[in-house]
Amino acid sequence: MYGSRGVGAFAGRRMSAVVLGAALLITGCSSSGGGDGSDEGADAKITQQPKEEAPFWVNPEGTAAQEVAALEKSGKKQEAEQIREIAEQPVAEWVGPDDPQQQTRGFTEAADKAGRTALLVLYNIPHRDCGQYSQGGAADGNAYREWLDGVAAGIGDRSATVILEPDALLHLVDGCTPQQFHEERYDLLKGAVTKLKSLKNTKVYLDAGNAGWQQPDQIFEPLNRAGIAQADGFAVNVSNFYSTEDSIAYGKQLSAKVGGKHFVIDTSRNGKGPYTGGNPDERWCNPPGRSLGETPTTKTADPLVDAYLWVKRPGESDGECKGGPKAGQWWADYALKLAKATG
């Protein structure tokens, strides 16, 4: 990651996303019914949240759900119930680079069967993360467009909410992404918004940084160039820790500069706000003493805020810092600490 951000790579989840997408297609996602809250995972008995509170899909085979099942099997009932606080909330599925059509079809079909909306993150822009913990992305613009075609084909007419390319705009204005890649990135983002909004039931939110980036005057024009007018809105605080109150204030400042667009907030780990100790350049990376934030819901504190979402998957590492594993890998100890510190 770079500077004040901290999205956390999905390199560690690339194969798992493909395997999971295939498994969901084969098994019918191990859930049943029409969204009445009775859906269960095979082992951990993971249930959906009430649709009127959180219309997004809870993956009954997600990493946290697997951890719950493993803890229960080993007799660690208390820890299992603590991790269940994560496992039974809808969290975003980060679409990997391999076979995006299969992945998105698996996730959206599973969500559709449960009567819910799939929450997806697209994080594959070329030159991603400026060579930091989450480096990677598509090889070039044409590869990205081909990948996006697969994403769109997999979603089809099913309901999906997409968070589009965390960090991609922020790194254009903070000096991280070299100038020669700027025009291509704007073109790719605008094209992605157009492609996704051509789908029947897909909402799109462009990533727009966080409250630590206290210069909305520098990012509103990049949002305009990236197609915010056609998008449903923008996302703030993705994978970060700024409070919901501060995130609303930041989002409202930015909304006023982009035509009153609505926004969503990542509340997955912001229950205690940002970490203020240690190296300022890595405060975003696996900070200690944090907690889960507001659970995902469309019933928010402000009419401009469409939803509180768990975009970052609580319990997955931000990177190899403060004793963490590689970015995107499950870190059971950190997950437990997040859950224990909540409330």
Side-chain angles (χ1 to χ4, degrees), residues 243-294:
S243 72
T244 301
E245 180 181 9
D246 288 346
S247 295
I248 290 174
Y250 171 76
K252 291 176 78 170
Q253 276 187 292
L254 191 50
S255 174
K257 297 177 181 295
V258 291
K261 283 290 184 177
H262 288 208
F263 57 99
V264 296
I265 301 171
D266 185 354
T267 60
S268 57
R269 305 180 298 175
N270 74 343
K272 295 189 183 302
Y275 181 56
T276 58
N279 182 350
D281 290 338
E282 287 205 342
R283 286 174 177 167
W284 56 267
C285 191
N286 300 323
R290 302 309 92 194
S291 71
L292 304 173
E294 287 96 342

Side-chain angles (χ1 to χ4, degrees), residues 59-83:
N59 186 346
E61 307 294 343
T63 309
Q66 295 174 33
E67 180 78 1
V68 171
L71 289 167
E72 288 181 343
K73 186 175 181 179
S74 63
K76 299 178 179 179
K77 301 295 185 182
Q78 183 177 1
E79 291 185 357
E81 288 309 301
Q82 289 169 328
I83 296 298

Side-chain angles (χ1 to χ4, degrees), residues 105-130:
R105 185 169 70 250
F107 294 137
T108 55
E109 285 188 354
D112 188 63
K113 184 176 181 181
R116 301 302 199 280
T117 293
L119 178 60
L120 307 173
V121 181
L122 304 191
Y123 187 51
N124 196 37
I125 204 78
H127 318 292
R128 189 182 68 204
D129 201 34
C130 315

Side-chain angles (χ1 to χ4, degrees), residues 299-318:
K299 295 184 176 181
T300 68
D302 192 282
L304 280 175
V305 184
D306 285 348
Y308 301 145
L309 303 175
W310 283 11
V311 182
K312 170 68 178 183
R313 296 151 67 94
E316 291 187 355
S317 176
D318 292 317

Side-chain angles (χ1 to χ4, degrees), residues 26-100:
I26 293 168
T27 66
C29 67
S30 297
S31 44
S32 60
D36 60 0
S38 62
D39 306 331
E40 294 186 354
D43 297 311
K45 295 182 173 60
I46 300 302
T47 61
Q48 301 292 326
Q49 292 296 317
K51 191 173 182 178
E52 63 274 12
E53 295 287 337
F56 306 103
W57 176 57
V58 176
N59 186 346
E61 307 294 343
T63 309
Q66 295 174 33
E67 180 78 1
V68 171
L71 289 167
E72 288 181 343
K73 186 175 181 179
S74 63
K76 299 178 179 179
K77 301 295 185 182
Q78 183 177 1
E79 291 185 357
E81 288 309 301
Q82 289 169 328
I83 296 298
R84 187 178 292 278
E85 295 181 28
I86 297 173
E88 292 197 337
Q89 295 299 330
V91 298
E93 302 292 347
W94 294 58
V95 181
D98 302 315
D99 202 345

